[in-house]
Amino acid sequence: MKKTMLCATVLALSVAATGCASGKKAESSAASTAAAQTEAASTTAAGKTAETTATAAAASDMAVPGYAPGQIPEIPAIVLPELGISENPAAKITLDKTKALSSVPGITVTPVRVENNQIQRGSTVMQLGSNGEGQYKDGNLTVQTDGNGAGQYVDAERGITIQRDDDGSGQYLDSKLGISLLVDDDGAGSYKDDRYGISLMVDDDGEGLYTNTQNGVTVTADDDAMSYRAGKVRITQKKDGSGSYSDAESGLKIENDGKGKATVTKGTQKATVDAAPLGTLPRLPRLGAVPAVPSLEANSLLITLDSGVLFDVDKYDIRPEAQETLNQLAKLLTEAGITAFEIDGHTDSNADDAYNQTLSENRANAVKEYLKAQGVTAEITTQGYGESRPVATNETAEGRQQNRRVEIIIPTV
């Protein structure tokens, strides 16, 4: 019985020992397998990292300088130069006393422009309204304007011609600078500027052609795309967000599919990178309005007094009948707050130059003294011009009468 039990015990221990040995072998085998799998995974990950780094490095090497890999530069905006003429916003008559002064018998009031101590007239024709509208013609310059920018302007000396409507449409030509502008009210038209080698033809929706011969730029735009060329660089952008870039010098090419990817090639290298679709399709600039026709700029009011009303023949004493006219003039000058003006005396060509010069000076001084006696406190200067500045012919009685005059020049700006 004991022998049987001993055998059973030994048998049990042997089975247990065998089972423990088998368990250790299985555990060791599993550990080896796991280690091998871990090592293989590490090797695979390292390979992927190396591949990604190599791809990024290649893409970076093939990027446009200053831009991310696969990014296409924007087409540069086109800016047109200034035309070289602008309206003077202050070119208006600023003294609103014309009607009151003109109502005085024996007085004529005319807006004029005085430059270099000369009133623009002789061959000059000027008709002005209160807001700068009117007509002007003097030698090389002809202006017809409404005072708000519309009208016609021809300056033969400068080679400038302007024809402009109220809406800003019309044409501008500068023959000396080589500038031409034809534009509709919607901004469509053509522009050419030889100063910078620029030419632009554009529709109201921004489609057309721009060229610049100085820097070799050409830009075309249609409903679907816009293309830019400068030297060996080409950029195209399409409405669907796709586009392309190429540089024949460096060999770099980029193709954006408009769906989030871009293919970059340079020689034998090629990479595909993430790239956002291109932005809103750019357009050519629509043309601005034709420059405004300058308002007729009157910087002075000219008050003309008939010497026949003021003085007897060859005299410079104020006639009693003329005193009422000068009284009203003095009142209006005071009410208008005039601080300074000039009185000029003129004669016809009868008698000799010296006599006419003295007579014109005495008549100007006589008017000055009378106005001051009536309370005019403005600073008054006088000039006598004798027969040197006629406004009409001295061959007729009517012309000589126009030349015998006293003029008061009042600055208005």
Side-chain angles (χ1 to χ4, degrees), residues 9 49 68 96 136 149 176 191 226 231 237 352 391:
T9 300
T49 300
D96 190 21
Y136 178 91
K176 292 191 175 182
Y191 172 78
M226 189 171 192
Q237 181 174 342
D352 58 48
V391 294

Side-chain angles (χ1 to χ4, degrees), residues 232-261:
K232 296 184 179 182
V233 173
R234 306 286 189 276
I235 302 175
T236 299
Q237 181 174 342
K238 296 185 177 180
K239 184 187 295 184
D240 62 4
S242 64
S244 63
Y245 171 92
S246 66
D247 185 343
E249 184 173 351
S250 67
L252 177 64
K253 295 182 180 179
I254 304 173
E255 294 285 343
N256 187 313
D257 63 6
K259 300 177 182 179
K261 296 292 182 181

